[in-house]
Amino acid sequence: MTRKTPLRSQAWFGGFDKDAFIHRSWMKNGGLPDDMFDGRPVIGICNTFSEFTPCNAHFGPLVEEVKKGVLDAGGFPLEFPVFSCGESNLRPTAMLFRNLASMDVEESIRGNPMDGVVLMAGCDKTTPSLLMGAASCDLPTILLSGGAMLNGKFRGKDIGSGTDVWKFSEDVRAGVMSPEDFMAAESAMSRSPGHCMTMGTASTMASMAESLGVTLPGNAAYPAVDARRARLARLTGRRAVAMVNEDLRLSKVLTRAAFANAIRMNGAIGGSTNAVVHLLAIAGRIGVDLTLDDWDAFGRDIPTIVNLMPSGKYLMEDLCYAGGIPAVMDAIRDLLDLDALTVTGRTIAENIEGVENFNPDVILPRDKALVQNGGMAVLRGNLAPDGAIIKPSAASPELMQHRGRAVVFEDIDHYKARVDDPALDIDASCIMVLKNCGPKGYPGMAEVGNMALPRKLLQQGVRDMVRISDARMSGTAFGTVVLHTAPEAAVGGPLALVQDGDFIELDVAGRRLHLDVSDEELARRRALWQPLKPAMEGGYQSLYVERVLQADKGADLDFLVGCRGHAVPRESH
């Protein structure tokens, strides 16, 4: 198909004036021939490669395949770097910098002569940050994930990144695993390039991207080292050129129906709780009305049928061989909007036609689902007026309705200093409460909500307790953990008023989170409340704390919400 309107890049490279001379001439210092500027589509390849981001460190060869695909289709590929939000190394938390990375993406796309975009994503925050930035520009855009690591292998068993870290760490603290075995598992867990091979946030967001329709089918599940990942990269490059010619912009794909599909798929795959804040933020950028209540409405009756850690027992490599996300979509096709358009130019229905489930123990029959009512449960009550979430598929059924005495930690440092104190007054029926770890409080809403249990309880065999915080948790984590409590403690939300000895009621089926303290007593405590001093001040962090929205709004910066388009009103010379 030939595009009828002029390409955006020709505002830079077309014509014979001074500015066009400058743009072309400097580009030619790399040896580009004249005909690269003849009006062919320029495809920007947005690369989050960084050696500090192990999940994305293998992107070099994949980018070369994307470039080949762009050239195959008659396009002009140009790679550009953006901020890389590496989950494993970046402190105080990669989530603090998701919005900064999205700003980098948005301004890089808008300010440069590109007609379409290929987003290179992998690690947890790289997928949402790229989609957020690209959504604010609304060019033809397609995403390619870097793929998951191969299954971890330790002493004859498969082990999963993150999920088994939490298990092994608890076992060491409980005295049932030696430090030597713990160290031996370290190298056995991460044995190939790629991101987490559990259904953690990286794999979840790759699955969300495919469910939203912004990737080619099969993108989420191919391992990083599988030759089909490179093949997909080349096809992605080709498709990016076709999308420009078709004027298939991101806003035509990221519709409310697409977000509803993704939320339902998140329930089916047992996806990360982090998908909640990320999809809310992406929707906010493209201009789709999506709320926290939509997560409950769309995902409430979805069976969790993907048997992957942390909810189940398998890993992403196994999901790939079973048929990947297309096979999962087929299994719940009656629950999806099959008419939703995707970057292929075809609908979901057309994309999944003829797919098969090759392993019904990995993609379970619906009558054998891990949890019949999966998805995210959105809780409300006087402890969370604006909402909190819990992931039922990763929780203990016996704790889903529970009343317990609060044991309170004022911030993460107080928690670390107190949790293993033998004198701590706590038992398995108590509810652990962590404050000041939300968007403003940490800052950045770190993955500390799945608090490790007190050593003395671990030694008694306790492996789960109800935990409540305004923080997030890793998508690889598990347990009866209430997260994203809004408003957060740092802005004076009710969580800030909880004290040791208060009783809290959790009722997941009733979607209720209640603090058993009178309104009069809460008012008295509020009058005495003082916010904690920020842990760090100045620079981007001060801007973040000043302008970040609460978790129920996606934790974006308030001035970044919305689609600003790709127009640039002035030339540079």
Side-chain angles (χ1 to χ4, degrees):
M1 177 178 176
T2 302
R3 185 184 171 99
K4 296 179 181 179
T5 56
L7 290 172
R8 179 175 183 268
S9 58
Q10 284 300 290
W12 281 261
F13 296 142
F16 299 96
D17 60 9
K18 170 176 60 71
D19 286 294
F21 178 105
I22 291 170
H23 296 313
R24 292 191 300 260
S25 179
W26 263 260
M27 291 294 289
K28 287 181 178 179
N29 76 2
L32 291 169
D34 291 345
D35 61 4
M36 296 305 288
F37 307 98
D38 62 4
R40 65 190 66 195
V42 176
I43 305 299
I45 304 172
C46 181
N47 194 355
T48 51
F49 160 84
S50 169
E51 290 184 336
F52 285 110
T53 306
C55 304
N56 298 20
H58 63 294
F59 279 11
L62 280 178
V63 168
E64 293 307 310
E65 293 300 325
V66 173
K67 289 179 180 178
K68 290 177 185 176
V70 172
L71 292 168
D72 289 345
F76 179 9
L78 291 171
E79 177 186 352
F80 64 99
V82 293
F83 189 97
S84 186
C85 283
E87 190 66 36
S88 58
N89 286 323
L90 195 57
R91 293 183 177 180
T93 170
M95 183 62 177
L96 176 65
F97 303 106
R98 181 201 67 177
N99 300 337
L100 177 64
S102 76
M103 294 167 68
D104 189 357
V105 173
E106 176 182 348
E107 302 304 335
S108 294
I109 291 174
R110 183 180 297 112
N112 282 295
M114 63 187 80
D115 304 300
V117 191
V118 175
L119 305 174
M120 299 292 301
C123 197
D124 295 23
K125 307 304 176 293
T126 58
T127 299
S129 67
L130 297 186
L131 285 172
M132 289 162 67
S136 288
C137 294
D138 196 24
L139 284 175
T141 302
I142 186 170
L143 185 141
L144 176 70
S145 301
M149 294 184 284
L150 297 175
N151 291 358
K153 299 285 184 180
F154 181 59
R155 300 187 176 173
K157 295 182 179 179
D158 283 357
I159 58 174
S161 49
T163 301
D164 278 306
V165 174
W166 316 128
K167 291 179 180 177
F168 292 161
S169 178
E170 299 280 67
D171 287 346
V172 171
R173 294 176 65 240
V176 297
M177 184 180 193
S178 71
E180 292 76 20
D181 284 350
F182 185 67
M183 295 300 292
E186 179 181 303
S187 298
M189 182 171 289
S190 303
R191 63 188 190 92
S192 83
H195 57 68
C196 281
M197 83 297 279
T198 49
M199 191 52 79
T201 304
S203 292
T204 295
M205 290 312 298
S207 302
M208 292 295 91
E210 187 170 340
S211 303
L212 286 167
V214 297
T215 77
L216 294 182
N219 169 79
Y222 290 131
V225 295
D226 194 307
R228 290 170 292 184
R229 176 67 55 187
R231 174 179 176 271
L232 195 71
R234 189 157 184 164
L235 294 174
T236 296
R238 293 179 183 178
R239 184 59 199 156
V241 177
M243 289 176 66
V244 171
N245 290 330
E246 297 165 10
D247 193 27
L248 182 49
R249 290 171 288 113
L250 203 51
S251 58
K252 297 179 181 179
V253 176
L254 288 179
T255 62
R256 183 167 168 82
F259 284 101
N261 282 342
I263 290 171
R264 289 168 178 138
M265 282 293 291
N266 191 75
I269 65 176
S272 169
T273 52
N274 290 303
V276 177
V277 287
H278 296 327
L279 262 63
L280 289 172
I282 296 165
R285 293 294 188 93
I286 202 68
V288 168
D289 181 19
L290 191 74
T291 68
L292 191 60
D293 287 335
D294 288 326
W295 271 90
D296 202 298
F298 291 137
R300 187 165 189 147
D301 298 319
I302 305 298
T304 301
I305 58 172
V306 174
N307 189 11
L308 260 65
M309 299 181 193
S311 299
K313 66 178 182 179
Y314 290 104
L315 297 164
M316 286 299 290
E317 189 179 347
D318 305 302
L319 178 59
C320 174
Y321 305 147
I325 292 301
V328 182
M329 288 183 139
D330 184 60
I332 64 164
R333 62 185 303 135
D334 58 303
L335 304 176
L336 301 176
D337 186 335
L338 298 178
D339 293 327
L341 183 65
T342 74
V343 293
T344 65
R346 302 190 301 270
T347 64
I348 293 287
E350 292 170 312
N351 285 348
I352 65 174
E353 185 178 355
V355 302
E356 295 183 52
N357 176 5
F358 298 106
N359 190 336
D361 197 38
V362 175
I363 304 173
L364 299 165
R366 282 161 64 167
D367 61 354
K368 295 182 179 179
L370 296 175
V371 178
Q372 284 297 336
N373 295 304
M376 300 297 166
V378 176
L379 311 171
R380 295 188 187 273
N382 69 345
L383 190 52
D386 293 336
I389 65 169
I390 188 171
K391 179 179 174 180
S393 65
S396 298
E398 67 275 12
L399 291 175
M400 298 287 272
Q401 188 169 29
H402 184 77
R403 184 176 186 271
R405 173 173 57 88
V407 177
V408 177
F409 307 96
E410 293 298 328
D411 60 19
I412 192 63
D413 300 312
H414 185 219
Y415 162 78
K416 290 178 178 179
R418 191 183 187 206
V419 67
D420 285 333
D421 183 347
L424 181 66
D425 183 13
I426 192 169
D427 59 46
S429 69
C430 289
I431 293 178
M432 299 172 67
V433 176
L434 176 63
K435 304 178 184 179
N436 293 296
C437 291
K440 293 180 185 288
Y442 199 80
M445 202 181 176
E447 293 182 342
V448 295
N450 56 313
M451 294 167 270
L453 306 187
R455 180 179 283 115
K456 68 180 183 181
L457 296 186
L458 290 170
Q459 291 172 342
Q460 296 170 18
V462 178
R463 286 297 182 271
D464 194 14
M465 294 172 62
V466 175
R467 287 156 276 180
I468 300 172
S469 74
D470 46 16
R472 299 177 301 112
M473 74 175 180
S474 169
T476 67
F478 52 90
T480 310
V481 184
V482 176
L483 302 155
H484 307 190
T485 304
E488 63 176 305
V491 299
L495 191 70
L497 309 179
V498 183
Q499 296 181 0
D500 279 338
D502 291 345
F503 276 83
I504 297 173
E505 298 175 35
L506 169 67
D507 179 6
V508 176
R511 299 303 197 256
R512 185 168 181 263
L513 186 64
H514 182 74
L515 177 64
D516 287 347
V517 176
S518 69
D519 291 343
E520 293 77 14
E521 173 61 15
L522 290 177
R524 185 191 69 81
R525 294 180 189 180
R526 183 171 298 283
L528 299 173
W529 175 79
Q530 293 290 329
L532 296 179
K533 184 182 179 188
M536 300 180 74
E537 295 181 308
Y540 168 72
Q541 295 201 23
S542 287
L543 174 66
Y544 177 93
V545 170
E546 179 185 347
R547 305 302 291 270
V548 71
L549 299 170
Q550 288 294 289
D552 63 302
K553 299 293 191 296
D556 201 358
L557 302 186
D558 55 9
F559 61 87
L560 293 177
V561 176
C563 179
R564 286 163 284 283
H566 52 73
V568 182
R570 293 189 174 99
E571 297 174 345
S572 54
H573 299 90

